Amino acid sequence: MSLSAINISKHFGRTCALDKVNLEVKSGQLVALLGPSGSGKTTLLRILAGLDYPDGDGEGRLLFQGRDVMDLPARERGVGMVFQHYALFRNMNVFDNIAFGMTVLKRRERPSSNAIRDRVMELLAKVHLQGLEKRMPHQLSGGQRQRVALARAVAIRPQILLLDEPFGALDAKVRKELRRWLRTFQEEEKLTTVFVTHDQEEALELADEVVVMNNARVEQSGSPQEVYDHPASPFVIEFLGNVNRLKRGRVQPDGSVTSLYVRPHDIQICKHLQGHTLEARVLHVFSAGSVGRVTLEYLESGEMLEAEVPRSEVDSMHLASGQTVGLRFRHIRIFTRKGETSTQELIEVPYEHEA
Amino acid sequence: MAKTVHPRLLSPGFSRAMQDPKWARRLLCGTALLFLALLLLVPLAAVFTEALRKGWGAFFESFNNPDARYAIYLTLLVAGISVPLNLVFGLAASWAVTKHDFPGKSLLITLIDLPFSVSPVVSGLILVLVFGVHGWFGSFFNSIGLQVIFAVPGIVLATVFVTFPFVAREIIPAMEAAGRDEEQAAIMLGASWWQILHRITLPNVRWALLYGVLLCNARAMGEFGAVSVVSGHIRGETNTVPLHVEILYNEYNFVAAFAMASLLAVLALLTLVAKTALEWRIQHLEKEAVTERTRHRENEPAA
């Protein structure tokens, strides 16, 4: 089921949580709402669920498959939701938690108890929790609770699935496993899914489309590659992945302000200074892992830079702190702001092998 | 609500480091025990000794009096009406306060505690002022032939007013601790208001609820001040057990007075036992939850 939210605004007292936000989700897509805390992403999700309502100015519209659902109460929207802390019913075991949505149906719509049992068992198998149906929520680990919450949400066969920080409370290893598992699960069920996260790595790895939010607005939306390779604003480039910012807020003669961004993997380190290289001093080399991370001082301005170079290069160049090296930037992104308008340009420097 | 002891306070290192010198501990414990004995145990013993001064026969004979039996019946009746009413009021108030945001919420929370801070005699007088024959609504109730003051409805009203905070006060913290997430999850799963209340909200606070009802009942049966003002002390009509104790005592009928008083004392002891059992149960549940959680946290199977 496709979903579109149009012109959604929401104020809490005087603070603006959402400012004329638009969101478009195609049927069967997995979309990430990505942003720092306070960017409005959870508020938007709760409005989609029907747990919150946008400002009553009549401008905001919410369409599921073209049908306006704004006046539909949450319980009738047919939306599954997984809460940040799972919100499992603590006085019910795993089975009753998953069956809940089916048991509250009106008598004539309710499946028989055998059908409910079959559905719960099928879901338990799908979330790899067979044999745990008698456990109480407090007897489960974080990852297990998360999967119970997911099974419970999809038990009612929703058309749309919403997840609020689904992996936020889990440790790194479990998070990675569950992420992969959720992706396959979502593809199998062909569920239109929106999830909220503040973890850019999670959003880029998992989503078909990433919606980057900041300060109650959508900064940019697009495929993970699009937003990573073609960030629309300094906020997006800084929020997605590591980046070096140079000549921060430098004022040009014509009054415009520029900032220059270089990704760590776009920095090439040369042992010797050559024609177009910039002079820098090595401060620190971290070479545990597949890539070596080198902290450098750009000598012209004294700014700090971080570069990522293949381990082989670190080893062959014998990089050590205190050394002076040459730098070459492969991609430089320059954002220029003049008054209200901002522009950006991308400078590409052809990769050169050190002679 | 049951208080849990911070685990650090139980660790041997903590107690050794923080312990006071021996003489100070003995002095403090001794003082506490002395007060406990003087103020609680001696009076309790006195009630039973006085009641049994003339033997078991005289003790049981005092209950064979129709006025005494009526007082017991009336006390049970009043508690039987007021406790369920306060259960409903308390639940409604706690639910409104913890699960919703609305203007005037903090005022409502303050008002719930009002009966605790008003002297029971004053609450009784307020009822007389409002519902008495010459009160604001007196003529209305008179015209429909319902006597409120100096009758059972007045006693029920006074008891409801005085015991109002007990249920709400126990449930509000429990509901607050439970949060709103589970209710919202239930809404998303299509549950109706009623289904959420009886399948999620109430089961989550059931122990606190029971605890509140217990305290509310003890107070409802023992209330003297407010009831005394509105009852009129009519024997066999508006006398509850506490009022009957006073009347008997004033008539120098000590055995009967203390026999009736012993009923209230037994009620107090039973309440204490039930309260302790409940506290133990709640603590046990909490501890179980914590240990189970830590035990299952480590062996997370691969997804």
Side-chain angles (χ1 to χ4, degrees), chain B residues 47-257:
Chain B
V47 168
F48 289 103
T49 351
E50 287 299 320
L52 295 170
R53 185 170 289 276
K54 290 180 185 160
W56 288 97
F59 177 78
F60 286 117
E61 194 52 41
S62 19
F63 298 120
N64 214 0
N65 173 304
D67 291 345
R69 268 190 282 177
Y70 184 80
I72 295 169
Y73 158 77
L74 186 60
T75 296
L76 291 176
L77 177 76
V78 168
I81 298 171
S82 332
V83 173
L85 278 178
N86 269 341
L87 178 65
V88 175
F89 292 160
L91 268 177
S94 327
W95 186 73
V97 162
T98 53
K99 309 286 177 185
H100 300 271
D101 292 311
F102 52 90
K105 182 169 150 174
S106 50
L107 183 72
L108 181 63
I109 297 175
T110 317
L111 280 179
I112 289 173
D113 275 350
L114 186 70
F116 273 163
S117 49
V118 173
S119 159
V121 177
V122 176
S123 351
L125 286 173
I126 292 169
L127 289 178
V128 172
L129 184 72
V130 177
F131 296 105
V133 182
H134 303 291
W136 298 346
F137 304 118
S139 48
F140 166 73
F141 283 108
N142 224 7
S143 67
I144 61 167
L146 181 72
Q147 196 186 355
V148 178
I149 299 303
F150 306 136
V152 177
I155 299 174
V156 171
L157 273 179
T159 310
V160 166
F161 180 82
V162 171
T163 59
F164 179 72
F166 284 96
V167 176
R169 278 209 134 196
E170 293 307 323
I171 304 179
I172 288 174
M175 279 193 179
E176 234 151 40
R180 300 182 194 182
D181 276 7
E182 289 180 43
E183 275 94 354
Q184 290 182 345
I187 290 175
M188 295 309 300
L189 292 168
S192 67
W193 177 87
W194 171 246
Q195 286 167 326
I196 293 172
L197 185 71
H198 86 102
R199 293 189 57 181
I200 313 288
T201 312
L202 287 184
N204 278 350
V205 297
R206 61 188 186 279
W207 296 111
L209 190 86
L210 208 57
Y211 192 83
V213 165
L214 196 73
L215 294 184
C216 183
N217 180 59
R219 183 65 196 268
M221 290 188 172
E223 174 56 21
F224 178 82
V227 169
S228 169
V229 176
V230 296
S231 108
H233 304 262
I234 309 164
R235 265 186 232 223
E237 266 181 50
T238 63
N239 250 359
T240 59
V241 173
L243 300 183
H244 198 60
V245 171
E246 194 207 14
I247 290 183
L248 292 171
Y249 187 82
N250 286 344
E251 288 167 353
Y252 304 101
N253 193 348
F254 294 135
V255 170

Side-chain angles (χ1 to χ4, degrees), chain A residues 246-266:
Chain A
L246 291 168
K247 303 185 180 175
R248 158 190 319 218
R250 172 165 299 190
V251 183
Q252 301 296 322
D254 65 345
S256 60
V257 186
T258 59
S259 291
L260 200 146
Y261 291 92
V262 184
R263 296 274 189 207
H265 54 76
D266 281 334

